[in-house]
Amino acid sequence: MLEDRATPLSPRQVARQQPLPGADPVAPQPALPLPPPTGPAESADPARTAEPGSAGRETADAGTAPGAGQHPGIPPPAAPADGWPADYPEAYAVVDVETTGLRSDDRIVSAAVYRLDAHGAVQDSWYTLVNPQRDPGPVWIHGLTREMLAGAPLFPEIAEEFTARLEGRVLVAHNAVFDWMMIAREYARAGLTAPVRRRLCTIALARQLRLPLPNARLASLAAHFGVAQRKAHDAEDDARVLAEIFRPSLRQAAEAGARLPLLACQPLTEWAEQAPAGGTRSPGGHGAYQWRTWRPNRRLPASPYPNPGRYVRGGRLKQGMRVAFSGDTSVDRSLLEDRAVEAGLHVAGSVSRYTSLLVTNDPGAPTGKVTRAAAHGTPVIDEAAFLHLMRDVEPADALPGGDGGAG
């Protein structure tokens, strides 16, 4: 993504979309023109090592729409001979976003969506730049300069079309939690709710299929399936590569009758906007910006109270209890952690035998914290129950200044 596009885009012609295919199910399938193989590019990003509206325009000529369920660049997949699992989703949205950084207060600078049907056939594609109203961050990674983004639409201006492409579909991405949380925060900033209820991570799917990969990078998956990357860290090309990777992965899972690693998405209803690190905003909306990593380790103070042990279901929380969080929350994670600390609880970054309680909205998720909680017999409750218990936290037995307990 470091190279600029061959044909410069005018400021407001920054998004493009592929029209819905025609109705002919037997139309010929154009072959995908691929450049000579040069070897997959290494990903420097740990996250990848994931209709209506005036802002959009198409990636292909609307007058030459392919047959139903087809796409000019990607032929449709063949369904397994023994049928398709009945519990698989009916539609997918393969998504990639590029951002000003990896922190929770960073912004989206470009987004691409490939819509796929139940069997993985590509229906259409869409791409747009987004003005982040701040410094674009790591230009050396995504290749988008302040000048290129200056005339791009703001997120609220493309939200309607983005919604039309995500609604009713499972969001598919590489390291999907990153793309999902960036999207959820952009919707929250716009006063809207992201229309996504489930997501699927291609890393988790590759691991479930036990693919022989040297690592979980997008480049490794692309090499495994023979997919050529043209511009690494370019939202449009990364989404295309993901769509081509996901199709055979989905087919393999269906042939094996495997359960897809679907996770629930919890849209943000309460969140805290943070100013860019390193300076104040200018009148034009841009501020001095310092490149940092997404969701850095927060140095939360340890509880001054001793650990009273595990939470007993049906009882009260008690000051000094060690609480861990996992997965999506409707209240921004940093707000939940701060409120827990203010109530006298100890926020733990991991789960151990000393953990009093794990809070998660997806207790069936195959995450490390959920797995360790099950192994240690740690009580698990959801976010709503935790917020209810936070209304009445029992005081600690010892005065502040105690030894903090066993954990």
Side-chain angles (χ1 to χ4, degrees), residues 15-21 51 56-60 70-74 94 111-116 122-128 161 165 236 239-240 243:
R16 52 180 182 263
Q17 61 190 25
Q18 164 68 34
L20 288 171
E51 285 115 68
R57 58 189 180 84
E58 310 268 346
T59 55
Q70 297 175 15
H71 186 274
I74 305 176
V94 178
V113 181
Y114 272 68
R115 292 197 290 190
L116 277 59
V122 178
Q123 298 169 311
D124 64 1
S125 63
W126 172 77
Y127 168 78
T128 184
E161 185 156 4
R165 296 183 173 278
E236 185 173 27
R240 174 192 63 82

Side-chain angles (χ1 to χ4, degrees), residues 142-166:
H142 54 58
L144 301 175
T145 65
R146 184 192 295 265
E147 291 72 27
M148 295 171 67
L149 298 171
L154 304 179
F155 187 85
E157 296 175 318
I158 58 99
E160 180 180 358
E161 185 156 4
F162 207 5
T163 294
R165 296 183 173 278
L166 298 178

